[in-house]
Amino acid sequence: MPARFITTVMVALGATTSIARAQSLGSLPIDTISTAAIAAATTDTSYLSPWVSAIPDHATVPSPRDYLGYTIGTPGELTQVDRIHGYLDALAAASPRVRIFDLGLSAEGRMMKVAAIADQQLLDRLEEIKAQLRRLGDPVATSRAQADSIIDATVPIYWMTAGLHSTELGPPEMVMELAYRLAVEDRAPFNGIRRGVITLITPVLEVDGRARQVDWYRRHVAGHTDRNEMPPRSPPFWGHYTFHDNNRDGIVVSQPLTRNYLRAFLEWRPTVSLDLHESVPLLYVSGGTGPYNETIDPITVGEWHTLANYEVARLTSMGMPGVWTWGFYTGWYPGYLLWVTNNHNSLGRFYETFGNGSAETMERDLTNASYAGKKITSRQWYRSVPPPATLKWSMRNNTNFMQTGALASLEMVAQNPRLFLDNYYTKGVRALERGRSEAPYAFHIPAEQRDRDAARALVDILRMQGIEVGVVPRNMELGDHAMAQGDLLVSSAQPFGPLARNLLMKQDFPADAEHSPYDDVGWTLGLLLGVETHRIDDAAVLEVALDALDGDGPFAAGGEAPGRAVWAIPHEGQRELGPFRFALGNVPVWAADSAFEANGRDFPAGTILIDRDSVPHETLEAALATRALDVVGLRRFPDVGRHRLDLPRIGLFQSWLSTQNTGWVRYSLDQAGVPFTLVSEARVRTGDLLDDFDVLILPHFWASAQARRIVAGVDPKWSPLAYTTTPEYPSHGRILSADDITGGIGFVGMEALRQFVVGGGTAVAFGSGTTLMTESGMLHDISVKRPTGLNTPGSVITTKVLQSGSPLTFGYPTLGHVFRGNGPLFNIANHRRHLVALQFGTKAVGDEAKAAAEEEGDETEATPPLVLSGGIVRGDLDGEAALAHTTLGDGHVVLFAWNPMHRHINQHDHGLVYNALLFWNDLETPSAPARTE
């Protein structure tokens, strides 16, 4: 170890020791019991700082130990949500420097909360300050002079959030101690922080998951100290629907957690946010390797590095090793919760502190840990003091690092309020200027849409994000682009114009990016929702005086039902067409086998046909009331072949091994009102699945999931692992319940799946869920393949329909698109290409390629690029099977080579899922086309 670092550590240790031995902290006496507990739980004195090594003892304000009975970070102690909230309530009751507010209810009805901490005179002005910050965020209404006046009269709001990921146990504990210190300490930097900034603390974001996680720790994990030999550290479920992806909902804002956070942000307008996480050693301060999201103002990028460098330097000066920035995460994807702030001209950031996923102290080995291609134990420009290769790590260590970093961050903002407030206003000004000077100047959403309900969803998302949407007042032309009266326009020249660009433009992930992306790289909402949008590059659009959008405008649900004998709903891949059929229940509903003409217009194959007299009128009206579907009245049934759409009994397989993507399928089906039954591993092992189900959905697991891992499930050596509701563990047994979650479906379950299909059932598999069929040997004509080096992070990919007569592709054009992330592909021989209903890209394969090669002199029509938004990092998908269909015995197997229900964002792809569900017993055995000589 370098001599300079040894000296720094000795100085810091001397300061820490002197504080611990002193009789007071500022004007307050030291709580000797808590201070001794901190020293005992900290495994190395270099993991302490003078700010957190001792706890003050206030005469009237309770410390965490006073309320909980233990000091934060004590080995083996975890705090439940109600106790965390109870402590903050007690703190607020005892101190005028703390106030508590409700954020809203979680998916399961638990309240989310936020504590505001500052000097009392600031808290007394809280509503005034919030209003000032909202004015500061609106440069349309606030001049530069007015902004300067506001900046002089107000302070920044800094919002810290904890407990988003439930296995990251330390942050909800740490913020209780941080809140106490901010409320009572009167030494530096605490007094300056209280005067210079209003600190918001949300101690638990995922309140449902925290409740389950603490119960799980107490039930199964407590006492295990060997990290390599212990039961699963996580319960099978966190939130009601979302698991780790609760931090990937910032675009469509589907979950109560995200909605509550966004709503509070737009009310409070925090200048800075800090989301507290655990993963990498010892403390990572977000900065990101890049490429950075191109719509983010460079000021924000500078602020990321300004704060990160300050925090790294501050903690390093106190002798704390392993504090670093830059080499983790990218800064490209805007859907994280913390990006709510980045997306709205504030500053969003996060910490990753080292954690054990347990309240126990453990030996950890960092020898093989690498990030951004470098060993974590190596010295780099962004990590001047690396952590040791081996160490003993405790939750108290975690608390020390995270709390010291948070205080350094608050110190920096409190000392420089004008810098951050001025940047906030300036970013709004620059957003307006960019929208007025750089194309696209606006985005046009025509009122005429093939899927009006999806267009309504798009407009809802934009408005929920605070983006202004206007109505075109009259028919007009801008250059070659025509707009009709009643169409919608989204201007780039608005304070959140960069976010509008981010959501509506296509993404081009740099092909030469040095580091692989951290998440999805494309998210163009028009494509993902299946809504026609157009960028307007003519600056004249800025002169159009728009009318205010009233309600849902042209995309309002319901409408007048036709009075004809037969109702026809053209099948154009609408996301609500399948749910509409399910909403009608067990009444006769038909689908046209092929295209037809009636009433002077063309109707595509799959068009829904309903005899109005065979369905109760109130049922029809109710099914249409919440959906923007176009219904055409016909005098009689058209002269076309049709078949009845029988509603299937749907089972959705739920493995205890991975619940995240199943959760999104559950959410999408629940939102659509499609009934299903969650099928546990135990139910699969029981067999006789045809007694209860006609269709089984096998969801995506994770990109590299293999059949053997899914079959094996949770390691049975930890049996029994109960997930049942008991008085001691009341949060368990929700969603699904089992006395023992170990063991997987096993070979008995695999045979039960085979018997289900052979006996006439339909298996519909998504992404890596297809491996249960393709990798297990169950199928003979389709197997799995994983091309070496292929990296296709979430992007919008061009597709081509190969079997236009298949009900699986009804409603979709020959050339279309889907949203695909990483996962397995299919091996399908060229002579079995008739099993492929849809392919990625436009490349001709097999007989199609031969036929194309034999045609000479034909001009090739322009074809779309393979990637419509996002990017492929390595490899190629062109010509690969996307949607395949085969038979096994009397049943059918439908295989999606992507996850068509990904985070409820690729709703354009949902229609393909509903095709598989609606036509489950109308699929014909795929057959090769007759050969011609």
Side-chain angles (χ1 to χ4, degrees):
M1 183 176 293
R4 182 179 300 174
F5 177 59
I6 294 174
T7 302
T8 301
V9 171
M10 291 177 66
V11 170
L13 290 182
T16 300
T17 303
S18 64
I19 288 175
R21 292 176 179 173
Q23 298 301 309
S24 63
L25 290 176
S27 66
L28 296 174
I30 285 179
D31 175 350
T32 56
I33 296 175
S34 292
T35 301
I38 290 173
T42 301
T43 63
D44 189 295
T45 51
S46 68
Y47 301 157
L48 272 174
S49 77
W51 290 343
V52 301
S53 60
I55 294 285
D57 188 1
H58 196 281
T60 60
V61 179
S63 70
R65 184 180 64 81
D66 293 331
Y67 183 86
L68 302 173
Y70 50 85
T71 303
I72 298 301
T74 298
E77 297 289 355
L78 278 185
T79 313
Q80 259 300 3
V81 177
D82 58 344
R83 295 284 285 164
I84 294 174
H85 288 170
Y87 172 66
L88 291 179
D89 287 338
L91 196 62
S95 172
R97 295 169 172 172
V98 183
R99 295 183 188 173
I100 307 297
F101 301 90
D102 291 341
L103 289 177
L105 295 174
S106 71
E108 294 183 356
R110 294 179 176 89
M111 183 58 71
M112 297 170 59
K113 291 180 176 287
V114 61
I117 308 174
D119 277 351
Q120 182 177 355
Q121 49 267 46
L122 285 180
L123 293 184
D124 288 343
R125 296 176 50 216
L126 193 55
E127 292 305 315
E128 171 199 340
I129 291 171
K130 288 161 59 177
Q132 288 175 328
L133 291 176
R134 288 195 295 272
R135 288 180 58 204
L136 203 61
D138 184 6
V140 175
T142 305
S143 68
R144 177 75 253 186
Q146 291 170 325
D148 287 337
S149 178
I150 291 171
I151 292 170
D152 288 338
T154 194
V155 297
I157 291 179
Y158 195 131
W159 192 2
M160 290 188 194
T161 52
L164 180 59
H165 288 155
S166 300
T167 49
E168 298 167 10
L169 301 172
E173 306 286 336
M174 183 280 286
V175 293
M176 289 188 282
E177 184 173 298
L178 175 64
Y180 174 68
R181 292 184 189 277
L182 291 176
V184 304
E185 288 220 37
D186 57 7
R187 58 182 174 135
F190 301 96
N191 46 11
I193 291 170
R194 273 196 309 274
R195 290 193 299 265
V197 66
I198 295 174
T199 303
L200 300 183
I201 295 177
T202 294
V204 185
L205 281 164
E206 180 56 271
V207 286
D208 300 331
R210 175 73 180 191
R212 280 191 260 276
Q213 180 68 51
V214 174
D215 280 353
W216 184 264
Y217 168 79
R218 293 172 178 172
R219 190 174 196 173
H220 297 302
V221 180
H224 290 272
T225 59
D226 185 345
R227 187 174 167 84
N228 298 318
E229 191 66 25
M230 62 189 305
R233 290 180 293 278
S234 171
F237 299 99
W238 292 354
H240 189 74
Y241 291 110
T242 56
F243 197 75
H244 194 272
D245 271 356
N246 59 12
N247 196 23
R248 306 296 191 275
D249 188 41
I251 294 177
V252 296
V253 195
S254 67
Q255 303 302 304
L257 184 161
T258 323
R259 291 174 183 250
N260 292 340
Y261 183 87
L262 175 59
R263 184 169 53 248
F265 170 84
L266 293 174
E267 176 189 351
W268 291 74
R269 298 298 175 94
T271 320
V272 184
S273 74
L274 177 63
D275 199 17
L276 302 171
H277 286 265
E278 286 180 5
S279 64
V280 300
L282 294 178
L283 172 61
Y284 170 77
V285 180
S286 62
T289 63
Y292 294 142
N293 188 289
E294 295 166 351
T295 66
I296 293 301
D297 194 296
I299 294 175
T300 297
V301 176
E303 289 175 320
W304 288 342
H305 296 303
T306 297
L307 268 172
N309 287 330
Y310 183 84
E311 291 154 1
V312 171
R314 202 74 167 94
L315 270 68
T316 301
S317 73
M318 297 182 194
M320 303 182 84
V323 184
W324 57 297
T325 186
W326 187 77
F328 176 80
Y329 157 84
T330 54
W332 177 264
Y333 177 65
Y336 308 112
L337 192 71
L338 69 95
W339 269 66
V340 166
T341 40
N342 288 323
N343 289 335
H344 295 88
N345 301 331
S346 292
L347 172 61
R349 35 204 316 277
F350 69 95
Y351 284 172
E352 297 282 356
T353 315
F354 203 32
N356 290 332
S358 168
E360 310 295 339
T361 301
M362 299 181 186
E363 299 286 345
R364 302 296 299 272
D365 187 344
L366 306 182
T367 304
N368 296 318
S370 295
Y371 301 94
K374 303 294 183 181
K375 294 284 190 182
I376 191 72
T377 54
S378 66
R379 183 172 180 174
Q380 305 293 332
W381 66 265
Y382 51 87
R383 183 177 51 241
S384 59
V385 183
T390 59
L391 66 163
K392 179 181 287 187
W393 193 253
S394 68
M395 186 181 292
R396 184 64 217 187
N397 296 345
N398 180 301
T399 295
N400 295 337
F401 273 83
M402 193 182 306
Q403 188 172 182
T404 305
L407 287 168
S409 187
L410 287 167
E411 177 187 53
M412 173 65 167
V413 175
Q415 290 176 352
N416 300 275
R418 170 166 282 279
L419 170 66
F420 292 97
L421 290 172
D422 189 86
N423 283 349
Y424 175 53
Y425 176 74
T426 302
K427 282 184 276 188
V429 171
R430 285 159 58 107
L432 290 177
E433 293 173 347
R434 183 177 179 185
R436 292 166 179 159
S437 62
E438 295 181 23
Y441 300 102
F443 298 89
H444 172 212
I445 307 173
E448 292 294 325
Q449 295 278 346
R450 68 163 189 86
D451 191 343
R452 291 173 51 243
D453 208 88
R456 180 178 58 155
L458 171 60
V459 172
D460 285 346
I461 291 169
L462 295 176
R463 293 194 294 187
M464 189 165 29
Q465 294 276 10
I467 295 169
E468 301 166 5
V469 181
V471 182
V472 177
R474 64 186 183 280
N475 294 344
M476 62 180 64
E477 292 185 0
L478 293 170
D480 296 333
H481 191 82
M483 295 185 294
Q485 180 180 359
D487 288 355
L488 304 185
L489 267 181
V490 180
S491 173
S492 293
Q494 56 176 297
F496 301 152
L499 177 57
R501 291 171 180 252
N502 207 357
L503 297 180
L504 296 173
M505 287 174 63
K506 67 167 291 191
Q507 283 74 51
D508 292 302
F509 188 78
D512 60 350
E514 181 180 359
H515 300 284
S516 294
Y518 195 73
D519 213 280
D520 294 341
V521 295
W523 48 84
T524 306
L525 280 182
L527 295 172
L528 289 177
L529 297 180
V531 179
E532 180 185 350
T533 66
H534 305 281
R535 56 179 282 163
I536 306 296
D537 291 347
D538 189 335
V541 72
L542 298 174
E543 305 305 317
V544 177
L546 301 176
D547 295 332
L549 176 60
D550 182 20
D552 293 320
F555 309 128
E560 186 176 349
R564 298 295 184 90
V566 175
W567 285 10
I569 304 178
H571 192 333
E572 296 180 320
Q574 307 97 309
R575 63 173 198 157
E576 284 298 307
L577 196 62
F580 170 75
R581 167 63 192 101
F582 280 95
L584 296 180
N586 289 309
V587 299
V589 177
W590 307 82
D593 293 335
S594 57
F596 64 93
E597 187 274 336
N599 288 14
R601 65 174 287 179
D602 294 326
F603 291 83
T607 291
I608 301 297
L609 300 168
I610 303 169
D611 181 349
R612 192 185 65 174
D613 293 335
S614 68
V615 182
H617 186 72
E618 60 273 14
T619 302
L620 284 170
E621 292 287 349
L624 285 173
T626 58
R627 297 177 172 88
L629 288 172
D630 295 320
V631 183
V632 181
L634 305 178
R635 294 180 179 177
R636 59 181 180 274
F637 276 102
D639 186 16
V640 66
R642 65 181 187 268
H643 52 268
R644 184 165 167 170
L645 293 178
D646 301 314
L647 291 182
R649 300 166 300 161
I650 300 171
L652 172 60
F653 175 56
Q654 176 66 79
S655 167
W656 293 110
L657 191 66
S658 174
T659 65
Q660 175 156 279
N661 290 297
T662 316
W664 284 115
V665 178
R666 288 193 294 113
Y667 178 77
S668 294
L669 294 180
D670 280 347
Q671 289 295 111
V674 175
F676 65 94
T677 300
L678 207 54
V679 182
S680 68
E681 293 171 335
R683 175 64 188 91
V684 174
R685 292 193 299 265
T686 300
D688 296 325
L689 294 168
L690 280 169
D691 290 350
D692 299 319
F693 309 108
D694 303 304
V695 174
L696 280 180
I697 299 176
L698 307 176
H700 180 61
F701 288 81
W702 60 92
S704 61
Q706 297 177 324
R708 62 181 178 83
R709 186 76 177 92
I710 302 168
V711 172
V714 178
D715 195 334
K717 73 181 178 182
W718 303 112
S719 176
L721 280 179
Y723 181 73
T724 52
T725 306
T726 70
E728 295 81 10
Y729 311 112
S731 70
H732 289 182
R734 290 287 194 105
I735 307 166
L736 207 61
S737 179
D739 291 325
D740 186 7
I741 69 169
T742 69
I745 61 173
F747 294 116
V748 172
M750 284 301 298
E751 176 59 17
L753 287 177
R754 192 186 74 84
Q755 290 292 344
F756 167 77
V757 179
V758 168
T762 298
V764 180
F766 302 161
S768 60
T770 62
T771 62
L772 283 170
M773 314 301 292
T774 60
E775 198 172 37
S776 61
M778 194 178 297
L779 302 178
H780 295 280
D781 44 14
I782 303 176
S783 60
V784 70
K785 69 175 179 180
R786 295 181 175 86
T788 302
L790 180 66
N791 187 356
T792 59
S795 300
V796 182
I797 305 295
T798 291
T799 58
K800 180 180 179 181
V801 172
L802 300 186
Q803 305 295 335
S804 58
S806 170
L808 294 173
T809 58
F810 279 173
Y812 286 79
T814 300
L815 293 181
H817 63 270
V818 299
F819 180 86
R820 185 187 193 275
N822 277 309
L825 294 171
F826 306 139
N827 263 320
I828 301 176
N830 285 345
H831 67 277
R832 291 195 174 111
R833 287 287 287 184
H834 58 278
L835 303 179
V836 181
L838 186 75
Q839 74 168 39
F840 296 117
T842 58
K843 180 180 178 180
V845 178
D847 290 342
E848 189 181 12
K850 293 179 182 178
E854 292 171 357
E855 294 179 5
E856 298 179 0
D858 289 348
E859 293 186 5
T860 303
E861 294 183 8
T863 57
L866 176 63
V867 178
L868 298 181
S869 183
I872 294 178
V873 176
R874 289 186 304 277
D876 190 15
L877 283 173
D878 205 357
E880 295 286 353
L883 178 59
H885 167 220
T886 189
T887 56
L888 184 65
D890 293 331
H892 295 265
V893 179
V894 179
L895 304 170
F896 289 77
W898 80 100
N899 181 7
M901 287 186 160
H902 172 72
R903 298 174 180 167
H904 200 63
I905 193 170
N906 57 340
Q907 296 174 34
H908 164 268
D909 302 356
H910 288 191
L912 292 165
V913 175
Y914 291 127
N915 279 348
L917 298 180
L918 292 181
F919 299 106
W920 66 279
N921 61 345
D922 300 308
L923 300 174
E924 297 181 356
T925 302
S927 59
R931 288 186 170 274
T932 57
E933 297 298 330

